[in-house]
Amino acid sequence: MTERPTTATELLGTEGFGAENLPYGSCRPVGSVTSGRLAVRLGDHALDVTSLLDGAGPLTPRARAAVEGRANLDALLATDHTVWTEVRAWLRGVVTDPAMTGTVRAAATPLAEVETLMPFTVADYVDFYASENHASNIGRMFRPDDAPLKPNWKHLPVGYHGRSSTIVVSGTDLHRPKGLRPEKDAGPSFGPSRRLDIEAELGFVCGGSAPQGEVSLKSAAEEHLFGVVLFNDWSARDIQAFEYVPLGPNLGKSFASSISAWVVPWEALGSARVPAPPRDEPLAPYLDDTRAEPYGLDIALEVLIDDQRVSTPPASTLYWTAPQMVAHMTVNNATLRPGDFLGSGTVSGTEPDQRGSLIELTWGGARPLTDATGEDYSFLRDGQRVTLRGTAPGPDGSVISFGECTGTILPAT
Amino acid sequence: MTERPTTATELLGTEGFGAENLPYGSCRPVGSVTSGRLAVRLGDHALDVTSLLDGAGPLTPRARAAVEGRANLDALLATDHTVWTEVRAWLRGVVTDPAMTGTVRAAATPLAEVETLMPFTVADYVDFYASENHASNIGRMFRPDDAPLKPNWKHLPVGYHGRSSTIVVSGTDLHRPKGLRPEKDAGPSFGPSRRLDIEAELGFVCGGSAPQGEVSLKSAAEEHLFGVVLFNDWSARDIQAFEYVPLGPNLGKSFASSISAWVVPWEALGSARVPAPPRDEPLAPYLDDTRAEPYGLDIALEVLIDDQRVSTPPASTLYWTAPQMVAHMTVNNATLRPGDFLGSGTVSGTEPDQRGSLIELTWGGARPLTDATGEDYSFLRDGQRVTLRGTAPGPDGSVISFGECTGTILPAT
């Protein structure tokens, strides 16, 4: 009996990061200061995509040019979905072909030996507010005598533009931001935020371009959504509370927002598609998904603070889907560019331990959490480390994992 | 008696666009589809900057590299203020040196023969709300029983991030945007905006970089503010009204915002500096300009609709200054990048004919304007053309003019 040849996936793949997933990132050796190189993750290894091309010839020139020698996803995002599909199919072939095992091993570096950089350049960034539980919780806390949701909430995905330059990759630590904080019976005071919070979200990476706007739900799903990351939209609640009327959040958000280092391809999430919640209001045609494919995503999130699990928000509960966000942003003729990035807004489930922000988990500070040393906290203290994790169903009972999204709070400068 | 040699400024300069001004733009021949080339405006001519370098040697290699063969201002913005000063001094020398007149004539093309493109790539874009008259007028209209200004307004420059990709150059026409419009006693309806408006603003182009944030007023003024443009932040008031609570304006703004094609150097506006209005509330140290240089700008704006002048907003009345906007945006550690762009918000003076938006000029539609054919209008009709103009005092009694900022409303798609 001859021994069956071994594939790279059998050698290196682990649950969550097998051949079904193959998320993209940008890596360089730890300690180096070179620019990154486009990589794909298999198990606990980063595979240098350019090195995988050695000797391989099946990619079209356009697809090859989009990945060869590239530092990150920018060139691939600037092509179109046919190229994304081609590159992904090629990569899946490479990691599952026993004849390519040597090439893959030569291209592989253990994750412990690489530093991950921003996987793409953010063009415009819009953060939505797509979780009904989250929006209702915030409404109940801030406007107890009013309906929890504003009249617009079920008619359109409410969102605002954020600061693209302050999106950082997982592992980037951040200083506590300073700003103007409201004070009782006095004008505001200037100083470090006292109510520093997290927001556990999904982030959607867009590609291709739609220079005339008006992207349909179907086109968004099939042609413009490239991938998904975990996203922590750090929030300084006191700075935000003082500034946000009437033009929305600004400095309370724009100091830093973190994404996981590995972009899980939209195509890898086919088995995670679930119907969005029932629609309570009739939707305008450009948003109406009642007769469309299911565009919700069954992604289970976890929030850890200093390695203690504090919440498990289910993204399947999001009222608004990623294709709806793309369709909404472009219905007024706004262009879509490669690298446009959309945040879902905080994901909160129906249960108290499924809330994606501290302001909800502690109900505005009324019910503090307790850390491993027994000390209570309601908002983030200096030195605390926040980690988001996520998993989704893959094909044939497999699991699709997201890379972690972590950051530690440093003292104010 | 020998004839005095003639300078290029004497030959080509006109009031407003003489050697004191020299604004930058990006031009290509009318009808061509090539990328633009960096140009400087003298009178009614565009001077190709690279052509001016022929034979001239005084620029340092770094300054030369920032302009030679460049399509627009991006490379110059990415250097620093010492290079901006050097390039500007060189250009002033070239256009005022009789020995260079032939070179300048060879580099000059009449404006009628060039198409102007976006003069720089917009990084992050923030629109402020810096006019007290404007904010008060809007407050009076929308919240008649409340104080016209929100409690935060005099403590910080309120602003929000806009969509960078939808900033377009003067002359770009725009389709009336579609979106969800509020209806009386019913849910919203989807369709073309019925309340399409303008906002006459100044726009501030930033350069250099401040990767750690925390830019002081002085550093903002001396090192990061590169230039000023006229800015029309087109606004769909009905779409904005339905969507903006609680996260601020989004689709009501993100369809298009127009800038004038010529970026007037910050350095050209030294004679236009005026003190900002008296401060009614004590300001946090990072915003306190009471003992600083005057950072207000005495720029007189004009708004024309189909060549009828409808308003003359004075930018000297802005409560918040450009250095305060930069200091505010970065105090929370947000980075500043070359190409960051700030809008002042609508400029409205104290007088009814100094208001910078139709919603104020017609008081929400209650007092329509009358066009040249005698027809009333309160918001923009398809086919109407809006033009912003601006002038400021230059040195020695000269005038600094801004290029026009124009756009015509096309029907909804």
Side-chain angles (χ1 to χ4, degrees):
Chain A
M1 186 180 137
T2 56
E3 210 173 294
R4 193 174 61 85
T6 309
T7 70
T9 300
E10 287 164 346
L11 271 178
L12 304 177
T14 55
E15 186 171 77
F17 293 103
E20 305 82 16
N21 191 348
L22 299 179
Y24 295 99
S26 174
C27 299
R28 66 182 176 194
V30 165
S32 90
V33 290
T34 59
S35 61
R37 284 168 67 97
L38 180 65
V40 67
R41 178 168 173 178
L42 181 66
D44 292 329
H45 286 73
L47 311 183
D48 183 73
V49 173
T50 300
S51 302
L52 295 177
L53 284 164
D54 286 356
L59 284 182
T60 59
R62 190 162 167 239
R64 188 173 180 123
V67 298
E68 188 168 23
R70 299 294 180 175
N72 53 39
L73 283 169
D74 289 354
L76 189 58
L77 292 176
T79 61
D80 64 46
H81 66 106
T82 64
V83 176
W84 309 343
T85 300
E86 180 189 346
V87 171
R88 178 164 166 78
W90 165 68
L91 286 170
R92 290 190 55 147
V94 168
V95 301
T96 55
D97 177 358
M100 292 296 288
T101 301
T103 301
V104 176
R105 292 197 74 154
T109 309
L111 290 185
E113 296 172 21
V114 299
E115 178 185 4
T116 46
L117 307 177
M118 270 297 288
F120 66 102
T121 303
V122 181
D124 276 302
Y125 151 48
V126 179
D127 199 32
F128 286 91
Y129 193 50
S131 162
E132 180 173 2
N133 298 308
H134 170 69
S136 301
N137 286 337
I138 297 291
R140 276 188 206 104
M141 268 186 272
F142 288 104
R143 302 180 301 270
D145 303 325
D146 207 351
L149 292 181
K150 288 286 178 187
N152 56 17
W153 200 89
K154 292 208 168 170
H155 291 281
L156 53 81
V158 171
Y160 69 99
H161 282 83
R163 190 165 183 82
S164 302
S165 67
T166 51
I167 295 180
V168 296
V169 72
S170 175
T172 307
D173 298 334
L174 53 141
H175 290 279
R176 178 179 299 272
K178 289 176 294 196
L180 286 164
R181 309 159 304 186
E183 300 286 354
K184 266 195 180 161
D185 308 320
S189 66
F190 174 72
S193 171
R194 298 162 179 147
R195 288 164 74 90
L196 186 56
D197 200 352
I198 59 166
E199 297 203 328
E201 308 191 9
L202 296 183
F204 304 104
V205 182
C206 298
S209 62
Q212 306 305 324
E214 296 209 65
V215 177
S216 69
L217 293 178
K218 187 176 161 70
S219 167
E222 295 177 3
E223 301 175 19
H224 290 291
L225 284 159
F226 175 86
V228 183
V229 293
L230 306 182
F231 184 50
N232 184 352
D233 181 29
W234 308 92
S235 300
R237 300 294 178 197
D238 41 2
I239 297 171
Q240 184 185 348
F242 186 68
E243 76 184 354
Y244 89 105
V245 176
L247 300 186
N250 188 4
L251 298 199
K253 300 282 191 172
S254 67
F255 52 97
S257 305
S258 304
I259 65 169
S260 52
W262 298 98
V263 180
V264 173
W266 183 256
E267 282 189 67
L269 294 166
S271 302
R273 295 271 200 100
V274 290
R279 282 23 183 119
D280 298 327
E281 296 280 356
L283 293 179
Y286 77 95
L287 291 172
D288 187 357
D289 59 356
T290 48
R291 273 174 297 273
E293 298 283 305
Y295 292 134
L297 288 173
D298 181 18
I299 299 173
L301 301 177
E302 275 185 282
V303 181
L304 299 97
I305 298 183
D306 289 341
D307 301 324
Q308 268 198 320
R309 190 165 79 174
V310 299
S311 179
T312 55
S316 58
T317 59
L318 288 170
Y319 191 85
W320 297 103
T321 68
Q324 285 173 319
M325 296 172 195
V326 174
H328 185 61
M329 278 316 305
T330 57
V331 72
N332 67 346
N333 306 325
T335 57
L336 193 77
R337 290 185 294 176
D340 277 355
F341 181 70
L342 309 173
S344 65
T346 310
V347 180
S348 290
T350 50
E351 302 307 310
D353 62 357
Q354 293 182 329
R355 295 170 179 162
S357 67
L358 288 172
I359 197 168
E360 291 169 271
L361 287 166
T362 69
W363 209 254
R367 303 176 208 149
L369 299 176
T370 306
D371 70 15
T373 70
E375 205 170 322
D376 284 355
Y377 67 100
S378 292
F379 292 94
L380 292 171
R381 297 184 308 227
D382 290 349
Q384 281 187 315
R385 183 160 61 91
V386 178
T387 303
L388 306 184
R389 290 186 186 146
T391 53
D396 306 320
S398 65
V399 173
I400 302 285
S401 283
F402 288 77
E404 285 187 348
C405 178
T406 68
T408 297
I409 306 303
L410 307 176
T413 50
Chain B
M1 186 182 141
T2 57
E3 210 173 293
R4 194 174 60 85
T6 309
T7 70
T9 299
E10 287 163 347
L11 271 178
L12 304 177
T14 55
E15 187 171 76
F17 293 103
E20 306 82 17
N21 191 347
L22 300 179
Y24 295 99
S26 174
C27 297
R28 66 182 176 195
V30 165
S32 90
V33 291
T34 59
S35 61
R37 283 168 68 97
L38 180 65
V40 68
R41 178 169 173 178
L42 182 66
D44 292 329
H45 285 74
L47 312 183
D48 183 73
V49 173
T50 300
S51 302
L52 294 177
L53 284 165
D54 285 356
L59 284 182
T60 60
R62 191 164 166 238
R64 188 172 179 121
V67 297
E68 188 168 22
R70 298 295 181 174
N72 55 36
L73 282 169
D74 289 355
L76 188 57
L77 293 176
T79 61
D80 65 47
H81 66 106
T82 64
V83 175
W84 308 343
T85 300
E86 180 189 346
V87 170
R88 179 166 164 77
W90 164 69
L91 285 170
R92 290 189 56 147
V94 167
V95 299
T96 54
D97 177 358
M100 293 296 288
T101 302
T103 301
V104 175
R105 292 196 76 154
T109 308
L111 290 185
E113 296 172 22
V114 299
E115 180 185 3
T116 45
L117 307 176
M118 271 295 290
F120 65 102
T121 304
V122 180
D124 276 302
Y125 152 47
V126 179
D127 199 31
F128 287 90
Y129 193 49
S131 162
E132 181 172 1
N133 298 309
H134 170 69
S136 301
N137 287 336
I138 297 291
R140 275 187 207 104
M141 269 186 273
F142 287 106
R143 302 179 303 269
D145 303 325
D146 207 351
L149 293 181
K150 288 285 177 187
N152 56 18
W153 200 92
K154 292 209 168 173
H155 290 282
L156 55 80
V158 170
Y160 68 100
H161 281 83
R163 190 165 183 81
S164 302
S165 67
T166 52
I167 295 181
V168 296
V169 73
S170 176
T172 307
D173 298 334
L174 54 140
H175 290 279
R176 179 179 298 274
K178 288 176 294 196
L180 287 165
R181 309 158 305 183
E183 300 286 354
K184 267 196 179 161
D185 309 319
S189 66
F190 175 70
S193 172
R194 298 162 179 147
R195 290 164 73 91
L196 186 56
D197 199 354
I198 59 166
E199 298 205 327
E201 308 192 9
L202 297 182
F204 304 104
V205 182
C206 299
S209 62
Q212 305 306 321
E214 296 209 62
V215 176
S216 69
L217 293 179
K218 187 176 161 68
S219 167
E222 296 176 2
E223 301 175 19
H224 291 292
L225 284 159
F226 175 85
V228 183
V229 292
L230 306 184
F231 184 49
N232 184 352
D233 181 29
W234 309 92
S235 299
R237 299 295 177 195
D238 42 1
I239 297 171
Q240 183 185 350
F242 186 70
E243 76 184 354
Y244 89 104
V245 177
L247 300 187
N250 189 3
L251 298 200
K253 301 281 193 173
S254 67
F255 52 97
S257 305
S258 303
I259 65 168
S260 52
W262 298 98
V263 180
V264 173
W266 183 256
E267 283 189 66
L269 294 167
S271 302
R273 295 271 199 100
V274 289
R279 295 349 191 146
D280 297 327
E281 295 280 357
L283 294 179
Y286 77 95
L287 291 172
D288 187 357
D289 58 356
T290 48
R291 273 175 296 274
E293 297 283 306
Y295 292 135
L297 287 173
D298 180 17
I299 298 174
L301 301 177
E302 274 184 284
V303 181
L304 298 97
I305 298 185
D306 288 341
D307 300 324
Q308 267 198 318
R309 190 164 80 173
V310 300
S311 178
T312 55
S316 59
T317 58
L318 288 169
Y319 191 86
W320 298 102
T321 68
Q324 285 173 319
M325 296 171 195
V326 173
H328 185 62
M329 278 317 304
T330 57
V331 72
N332 67 346
N333 306 325
T335 57
L336 192 78
R337 290 185 295 176
D340 277 356
F341 181 69
L342 310 174
S344 65
T346 309
V347 180
S348 290
T350 50
E351 303 307 311
D353 62 356
Q354 294 182 327
R355 293 168 180 163
S357 67
L358 288 171
I359 197 168
E360 291 168 272
L361 286 166
T362 69
W363 209 255
R367 303 176 209 149
L369 298 177
T370 306
D371 71 14
T373 70
E375 206 169 322
D376 283 355
Y377 67 100
S378 292
F379 292 94
L380 292 172
R381 295 183 310 228
D382 290 349
Q384 283 189 313
R385 183 161 59 92
V386 179
T387 302
L388 306 184
R389 291 187 186 145
T391 52
D396 305 319
S398 65
V399 173
I400 303 286
S401 284
F402 288 77
E404 285 188 349
C405 178
T406 69
T408 297
I409 305 303
L410 306 176
T413 50

